[in-house]
Amino acid sequence: MVGQASAWVESPLQMLCAVEAHHAGLLGPVTTVVPRAGLRALKATRAELRSLGAPDGLVLADPRERMPRRVLAVGDAFSGRVQVRWLASWPGRVVIVDDGLATLRLLELLAAGPSRPLLRARAEPSAPRAALGLAAALRLRLSRVSVFTALDVDDKLAEAVRAAGVELVRHDFAWLRAQPPSPYGPDERTVVLGTSLVRNGLVHRGRYLRWLTDLAAREPLAYYPHRREDPVDVALIGELPGVTVHDAGAPAELTLRGLRPDQRVLSLPSTAVTSLRVLLGPRGVAVEPVDVPDDWWTSRAAPALRSHLTGVPG
């Protein structure tokens, strides 16, 4: 079909932002969003989006194990399979939709020029993987690249990105903000967003659990696990007095959009703070970032990595 585009998504936020990119007209009149197979959170997000009614011209396809041959939009520019697909295709237009903190890392690398391989912040790549990341960076130089994000990007970085020939397109979840509030929000006044920092070995589990215990001693908590949180940790958190664990499922931007003005959201450093402020700020809901105390960090969290993780706009 003329004007039809495909978007390959591997996380709930990527799926939501692909819908927003279509709604904004960035992908053309017809877009098929293809989720990667085998990810439960993507199934939950797809079901929630379908219940809202997709924008005109947008199709939420069944999950697939393999990427479509021709893909216009992707969410994870650091994915090996995405980079291989770029190298196997003719240079053309590429749209990269928001994927949280990884998007800021990507913008920094794009601004630095094609000599910087596209690798994740904590990556310790083999020589072949580093070569793939470098080849992908060079291939993007030959393409017309747009990055579609709701994050706050400081003026200096935005200027450097545009100077590198990359189109930076900002959005504010216009489609989602136009949808009715979710009727399934928690009753608790305080909502805590889970984190992957413990599972990644960057924050001490004991200190994080103690913080939650102290919070719950003062008031009941609704806890929404991070999709990459260790199930064992989630089970431990669910046993804490005063804590109710809710199914992670769809991203917080979808599940928490109906919070009341008397409720608040607490989160360790996360780009969800920015997006939830966009969505919940007009409703009078406070979204509060929580600084990570120095003694929470493990030896695996090098100073440069701490700075990257805590440099989230908010």
Side-chain angles (χ1 to χ4, degrees):
M1 181 184 296
V2 176
Q4 183 169 2
S6 290
W8 170 255
V9 296
E10 300 177 82
S11 78
L13 181 60
Q14 292 175 28
M15 180 179 283
L16 174 57
C17 289
V19 173
E20 292 288 351
H22 171 82
H23 175 74
L26 197 61
L27 306 181
V30 179
T31 303
T32 300
V33 178
V34 182
R36 179 179 173 181
L39 301 177
R40 186 178 68 89
L42 280 178
K43 291 182 180 179
T45 304
R46 178 169 168 259
E48 181 70 14
L49 290 170
R50 280 185 163 180
S51 72
L52 292 174
D56 291 343
L58 185 128
V59 178
L60 294 169
D62 292 332
R64 300 183 197 173
E65 185 58 40
R66 295 184 177 181
M67 292 177 62
R69 284 192 172 184
R70 300 182 64 182
V71 175
L72 171 60
V74 298
D76 186 0
F78 301 114
S79 164
R81 68 172 69 191
V82 167
Q83 294 181 0
V84 168
R85 180 52 50 87
W86 283 341
L87 296 180
S89 307
W90 287 103
R93 186 158 177 256
V94 174
V95 177
I96 301 171
V97 299
D98 221 337
D99 192 29
L101 188 58
T103 303
L104 293 178
R105 164 76 172 173
L106 174 66
L107 291 175
E108 291 167 356
L109 292 175
L110 292 176
S115 62
R116 296 287 300 279
L118 299 184
L119 298 170
R120 303 186 196 281
R122 294 192 301 120
E124 297 180 0
S126 62
R129 185 64 187 86
L132 175 60
L134 180 58
L138 293 170
R139 173 49 63 92
L140 281 190
R141 271 292 180 180
L142 302 176
S143 304
R144 292 180 291 116
V145 180
S146 300
V147 178
F148 182 76
T149 181
L151 297 178
D152 292 328
V153 180
D154 68 64
D155 293 341
K156 184 177 180 180
L157 178 57
E159 182 179 349
V161 167
R162 294 185 174 109
V166 176
E167 180 185 30
L168 182 59
V169 182
R170 302 292 307 285
H171 76 95
D172 60 358
F173 293 97
W175 176 79
L176 185 57
R177 287 190 293 106
Q179 306 309 307
S182 171
Y184 307 113
D187 293 328
E188 293 86 353
R189 186 184 80 90
T190 295
V191 176
V192 177
L193 299 186
T195 179
S196 63
L197 293 176
V198 173
R199 185 169 194 171
N200 290 339
L202 302 175
V203 161
H204 290 289
R205 175 181 289 102
R207 289 176 173 83
Y208 181 66
L209 293 178
R210 171 52 58 187
W211 172 66
L212 290 174
T213 300
D214 291 345
L215 275 178
R218 296 194 291 270
E219 62 176 322
L221 302 180
Y223 189 85
Y224 283 77
H226 190 281
R227 64 188 177 88
R228 290 196 294 271
E229 243 176 300
D230 189 325
V232 174
D233 289 344
V234 175
L236 288 173
I237 292 168
E239 294 175 357
L240 297 177
V243 178
T244 300
V245 174
H246 293 256
D247 185 8
E253 290 82 0
L254 278 171
T255 56
L256 299 180
R257 68 184 191 280
L259 290 185
R260 307 181 306 270
D262 63 327
Q263 293 177 290
R264 64 171 181 162
V265 179
L266 301 181
S267 174
L268 266 61
S270 168
T271 52
V273 171
T274 299
S275 55
L276 287 176
R277 280 179 170 174
V278 170
L279 291 165
L280 299 177
R283 299 174 60 84
V285 179
V287 182
E288 305 170 13
V290 177
D291 292 334
V292 179
D294 288 341
D295 64 345
W296 284 24
W297 295 109
T298 69
S299 59
R300 296 180 61 182
L305 181 58
R306 295 186 195 183
S307 177
H308 173 70
L309 294 169
T310 58
V312 178

